[in-house]
Amino acid sequence: MDSLAAVSQDVVACRACPRLVAWREQVGEEKRAAYRDEDYWARPVPGFGDPAARLVVVGLAPAAHGANRTGRMFTGDRSGDFLYAALHRAGYANQPTSVSRDDGLELDGAWITAPVRCAPPANKPTTDERDRCRPFLDRELALLADASVFLVLGAFGYQGLAGYLGLRPRPAFGHGVEVPLADGRTILCSYHVSQQNTFTGKLTPAMLDAVLARARELTG
């Protein structure tokens, strides 16, 4: 039988996309000056969180010097700082920061994943790369049997999730958009927690808090 542990093992071992393999490993060798003494993960990044999660957060892909360095989703960069602080305020995380795989962070009722598991150049995976990675997301979501709310961060994650759920027609993406599904589950949409959005105020803490509060209402 499949398991989340088996999915994680298969994710970490994957070398299906030559462009992404080359980039993630190049970044891990060249490093950013601030992290020159660290060993980069430089492999695909598995999902993270509570296997009994009722909320599933779907991002885009690992950041080159964030999750690609630390080996955990949204860990070690400003996007993760923004997201985990919000999850902590909403009661889904035991602490507001996420800096490494062994920093004690635990999620309660939430799971974090992405349609693409390797850091892409310029943070832009191709559609073909997303499609090659899709079986991991399909398996993972099938195993998260208690999930009733999917929070997508950005349009790319929304498209990937809609493909898994067979959502047709697909309502246009926008922050705060809520998509009820025929089986009683719900998709919630938020702008991505990228620095481009959070530094410019396109996405504020209050905006993300409101979406997470709605997730709490829907999951009970």
Side-chain angles (χ1 to χ4, degrees):
M1 295 180 64
D2 205 1
S3 68
L4 289 169
V7 176
S8 293
Q9 290 175 355
D10 291 345
V11 166
V12 172
C14 184
R15 300 183 65 85
C17 300
R19 186 181 80 113
L20 299 188
V21 170
W23 174 249
R24 77 191 192 210
E25 294 180 356
Q26 177 184 337
V27 170
E29 288 292 330
E30 296 177 352
K31 304 181 181 180
R32 179 172 284 173
Y35 310 124
R36 62 180 177 273
D37 296 327
E38 295 188 24
D39 291 328
Y40 273 55
W41 175 258
R43 287 173 279 174
V45 180
F48 166 69
D50 182 355
R54 301 199 66 185
L55 170 66
V56 177
V57 180
V58 183
L60 192 163
H65 301 282
N68 186 58
R69 172 173 60 88
T70 63
R72 190 170 69 194
M73 290 283 181
F74 286 105
T75 296
D77 60 19
R78 295 292 181 86
S79 296
D81 292 345
F82 192 94
L83 175 62
Y84 284 113
L87 290 172
H88 179 67
R89 291 192 297 271
Y92 287 109
N94 68 328
Q95 61 190 46
T97 57
S98 179
V99 296
S100 70
R101 293 194 307 280
D102 58 359
D103 62 4
L105 175 67
E106 296 180 1
L107 298 184
D108 182 8
W111 183 271
I112 299 179
T113 188
V116 175
R117 308 308 177 102
C118 291
N123 290 322
K124 293 182 179 179
T126 67
T127 301
D128 286 345
E129 289 163 348
R130 181 196 67 195
D131 291 347
R132 278 195 291 273
C133 212
R134 177 174 164 174
F136 296 132
L137 184 65
D138 289 356
R139 290 168 60 194
E140 200 172 33
L141 294 179
L143 290 162
L144 294 168
D146 296 325
S148 59
V149 175
F150 303 95
L151 170 56
V152 291
L153 303 177
F156 191 90
Y158 179 46
Q159 293 164 5
L161 180 66
Y164 166 76
L165 296 172
L167 180 61
R168 296 185 183 87
R170 186 177 71 222
F173 174 84
H175 184 83
V177 168
E178 185 171 322
V179 184
L181 303 173
D183 60 8
R185 296 183 293 179
T186 305
I187 299 173
L188 297 177
C189 298
S190 171
Y191 293 139
H192 196 275
V193 291
S194 66
Q195 292 185 58
Q196 180 180 356
N197 289 338
T198 61
F199 281 16
T200 61
K202 182 176 182 179
L203 178 65
T204 65
M207 290 168 66
L208 186 54
D209 287 350
V211 175
L212 287 169
R214 179 57 178 155
R216 274 289 184 203
E217 291 178 5
L218 291 168
T219 59

